[in-house]
Structure formats: C-alpha cells, structure tokens
Amino acid sequence: MLVIMRTDASEEEIQGVLSRLKEADLEGHLSAGEERTVIGAVGRVVDPDMRTAVGTMPGVDQVVPISRPYKLSGREFKPDDTVIDVGGVRIGDGNVVVMAGPCSIEDEDHMVSTAKAVKAAGAHIIRGGAFKPRSSPYSFRGLGEEGLKHLATAREETGLPVITEVMSIADVETVARYSDILQIGARNMQNFNLLDEVGLVRKPAMLKRGLSGTIEEWLLAAEYIMAKGNHEVILCERGIRTFETATRNTLDLAAVALVKRMSHLPVISDPSHGTGRWQLVEPMSKASVAVGADGLMIEVHPSPDHALSDGAQSLTFENFEKLMRTLETVGAAVGRPLAPRPGELAAV
Ligand code: PEP
Ligand code: MN
C-alpha cells in the first residue's frame, strides 16, 4: 500500500508512520516528492485493517492499495522521474547520457586508449567488461579483476565514471570497489540472489532486460534490488529474442516508451546488443533518443575486426565521433540534448 502524507505533514508524523509499519512487519520506503511525501509499505501481505489503522494516523492524507505487482519501481509510488547522479553525471533528468567503450577489456592500453577516444568524442561514462557472459565456454570470458584494474586506470586518466558487469554474488564486493555503476547482464536479469546482493550495495545498478524478459518481469527484477534498499536502479533495453534472425536481437523501443510511463526509473537503450550490427547503431541510437531514452550504451573498439567479443556491433572511434555529432542535432531537435559532463556547464 501507499501512504500518502499530507503536504503539511511533519517529520515526526512521517517517522510515526514508519515505526507503525515496522511494528506490523512492513518495510516503509520513503519517496520525498516536491509536493508531498509518499511512503511505500512493502511486505508479504498487507492486512486491510492495517490500511485503516494507518489511514487514521496524524499527517496521513490517504492510504491506497498498490494494484500492480511491482511497487517501488512503479510511478504510483513515485510520480517524479528518478535522477541518479554518478560522479556528477545526472542520469534521468531529461538529457541524454552516453556510456561507451569496448565490449571486453582486452589489455590496459586497449582500455585506456578507447576510454580517451570516447571521452574526446563526448561520452559521459566509460564501459568495459571484465566478467563476460559468453554463450560458449571456449570464447574469451574476460580478464576478471585484472580487467577491473585497467578500467580503474581508464577512470583515473579520463576523470569519467565507469560501468562494468557483475556476474556472480562472489564478485559483487570486488566489482563495487572498482566500478561506479554495477551492470547486471541480460542473462542474469532473473538471478534473484544476485539481485538481492546488488540491492545491498550503495552504488547505482544498471539492470539489462533479459533475452525473454517481459516488461513486468523486468520491473519485478528491479523491485528485488530496490526492496533491499538500493533505489538507484537504471533500466537498460538491450533487445529481446524474437523469431527474427536478421538482427542479433529485436531492440524493443516501444518498451522504452512504455517503461518510461510505467516506471520513474531512468531507461537506457543499447542499440549495439539490440541489433548486433554496427551499421544499425546510429539509426537506432537516433530512434532511441527520439522515443525518450535517458541515454545510450554503445560498444566502441579501436579495431572492431580484431575485437575479442562483439566486434560486429562495435563502432570505430571515427564512427563513434560521427554518432555523437549526429546525436547533438537529433537530441536538440527532440528536446533531449546530450547531458553536460562533470565540470562542464550545461548549454544555455
Ligand atoms: C554487454 O554489455 O557486453 C553484455 C554482455 O550485454 P548483455 O547482457 O545485454 O548481453
Ligand atoms: Mn558486448
């Protein structure tokens, strides 16, 4: 249920509701909006009598049951967009944030030179995989912690925040030590124990949509992370598996537009994995921005034909630079300009 506080509710009255919920074994999640505070009460079962009881407490305006299975991630709980600040980069505030870098971190020079190139072209956040989920056990599976060190070097050299995937519970602490955002890959969208663990971390998490995840399952997966206390969740549409084989996946841009309505969480689009073809990255990036994505995740490689993973969908430095220039124009045309970078002033 949602406990909607009166606009003039005092801090003491808010605390009163929180402790009453605790008594009833319900967890209270606070959403302090511009106009009023809403408390999401989450637990296995909410007794209807409890709804009446809380409804009579001082400072409470009304209590409404949440009709949807996802609660904390839904707009009912929090009507305002969630904005996540990652080292000065604001994700979800109406501007477009670009995360870019190689699929896999191959060595230090490869990671650092790619990070510098994408920074020069205007990227906001550096990506690179150290723990790689691969369909075949014989494919390159990443450098592990050594890769994370190269990513940390890239972070130092560029001053930009970094994102990388965490695949297992055992690595959550290590990845959180090196990375500014924890990426949960498509194949782990419903790895509920991993979601729980990432929910305990106090760093933003980016949750990719599963290969066959419905929108409701995706939001429920976000709910796992949020229910553990980590409300800084970014959603990422990276294409779903359909009957079509001409593209690697089907980038579901209707899902981006729909999830923006259903949820207050920022939504990123990944046209690299969403199409599997570098030639389609620019058109689908433009489309993503136009439908309201809060940002893009783009794979870039100094020499895509030598990439240890996902070369076919990786842009060269030159093509990435061209994409960024195009996004400036398209972003401005649809009212979603590229976000300023830390230390840079917003365009006026
Ligand atoms: C990736 O970002 O490199 C990746 C493995 O993505 P996904 O989980 O979407 O396949
Ligand atoms: Mn990849």
Side-chain angles (χ1 to χ4, degrees):
M1 65 179 175
L2 289 179
V3 184
I4 300 169
M5 301 302 292
R6 292 164 49 106
T7 44
D8 60 358
S10 67
E11 186 51 39
E12 204 184 337
E13 288 167 337
I14 294 171
Q15 289 308 323
V17 170
L18 288 173
S19 45
R20 181 68 185 84
L21 295 175
K22 208 168 171 190
E23 263 173 46
D25 252 353
L26 294 170
E27 215 166 297
H29 292 261
L30 215 62
S31 161
E34 267 176 30
E35 285 191 11
R36 57 175 75 211
T37 294
V38 175
I39 301 170
V42 185
R44 272 194 312 136
V45 188
V46 179
D47 176 353
D49 286 344
M50 184 60 196
R51 246 178 251 150
T52 317
V54 173
T56 61
M57 292 186 73
V60 174
D61 184 6
Q62 49 169 325
V63 177
V64 279
I66 304 183
S67 46
R68 304 183 198 284
Y70 51 87
K71 301 179 189 304
L72 303 175
S73 55
R75 284 246 181 226
E76 275 180 307
F77 169 55
K78 186 170 181 286
D80 306 330
D81 287 342
T82 286
V83 179
I84 299 176
D85 190 305
V86 188
V89 177
R90 287 166 58 78
I91 307 175
D93 73 351
N95 295 330
V96 171
V97 167
V98 179
M99 309 176 176
C103 177
S104 301
I105 300 161
E106 299 178 7
D107 58 50
E108 185 180 285
D109 181 53
H110 165 256
M111 186 63 238
V112 173
S113 60
T114 308
K116 285 183 174 167
V118 299
K119 179 185 179 181
H124 305 85
I125 294 173
I126 307 294
R127 68 149 283 151
F131 296 96
K132 297 302 304 175
R134 303 304 304 274
S135 299
S136 162
Y138 308 118
S139 301
F140 177 61
R141 294 169 70 182
L143 297 178
E145 190 166 355
E146 185 196 334
L148 296 179
K149 289 183 179 155
H150 303 329
L151 191 63
T153 308
R155 182 179 190 269
E156 259 167 50
E157 300 257 332
T158 58
L160 296 182
V162 297
I163 176 169
T164 195
E165 176 163 353
V166 58
M167 279 177 62
S168 78
I169 294 175
D171 295 325
V172 168
E173 204 194 310
T174 312
V175 173
R177 212 168 341 110
Y178 290 96
S179 190
D180 300 291
I181 307 175
L182 276 69
Q183 175 172 320
I184 295 167
R187 290 154 193 82
N188 273 322
M189 185 195 86
Q190 287 190 311
N191 182 339
F192 301 119
N193 294 336
L194 179 64
L195 300 175
D196 275 345
E197 202 64 26
V198 169
L200 297 172
V201 175
R202 289 295 159 264
K203 280 200 172 176
M206 187 171 89
L207 176 66
K208 289 191 142 197
R209 182 177 180 189
L211 275 71
S212 59
T214 65
I215 291 173
E216 189 170 294
E217 286 164 345
W218 189 17
L219 291 176
L220 282 169
E223 197 76 18
Y224 267 84
I225 303 172
M226 299 177 82
K228 286 285 178 194
N230 186 354
H231 285 207
E232 294 197 310
V233 178
I234 302 158
L235 300 167
C236 176
E237 162 62 42
R238 49 76 74 203
I240 47 173
R241 181 161 290 181
T242 66
F243 57 84
E244 184 55 74
T245 53
T247 45
R248 181 179 179 187
N249 290 296
T250 298
L251 185 67
D252 185 2
L253 291 186
V256 174
L258 181 57
V259 169
K260 287 293 296 173
R261 297 177 69 85
M262 294 164 77
S263 173
H264 53 86
L265 298 173
V267 184
I268 300 289
S269 169
D270 173 353
S272 303
H273 294 88
T275 66
R277 294 170 173 243
W278 72 266
Q279 296 92 336
L280 301 182
V281 170
E282 180 182 316
M284 296 315 282
S285 294
K286 291 192 279 191
S288 300
V289 169
V291 298
D294 295 294
L296 297 164
M297 169 162 267
I298 308 284
E299 286 187 339
V300 179
H301 195 281
S303 172
D305 54 334
H306 291 97
L308 295 183
S309 59
D310 289 350
Q313 65 195 35
S314 298
L315 297 186
T316 58
F317 294 170
E318 196 187 344
N319 282 333
F320 179 68
E321 159 75 29
K322 264 200 251 163
L323 170 68
M324 291 301 285
R325 300 296 72 82
T326 306
L327 291 177
E328 274 170 10
T329 324
V330 174
V334 298
R336 296 186 81 79
L338 288 175
R341 286 192 302 193
E344 286 174 358
L345 289 176
V348 272

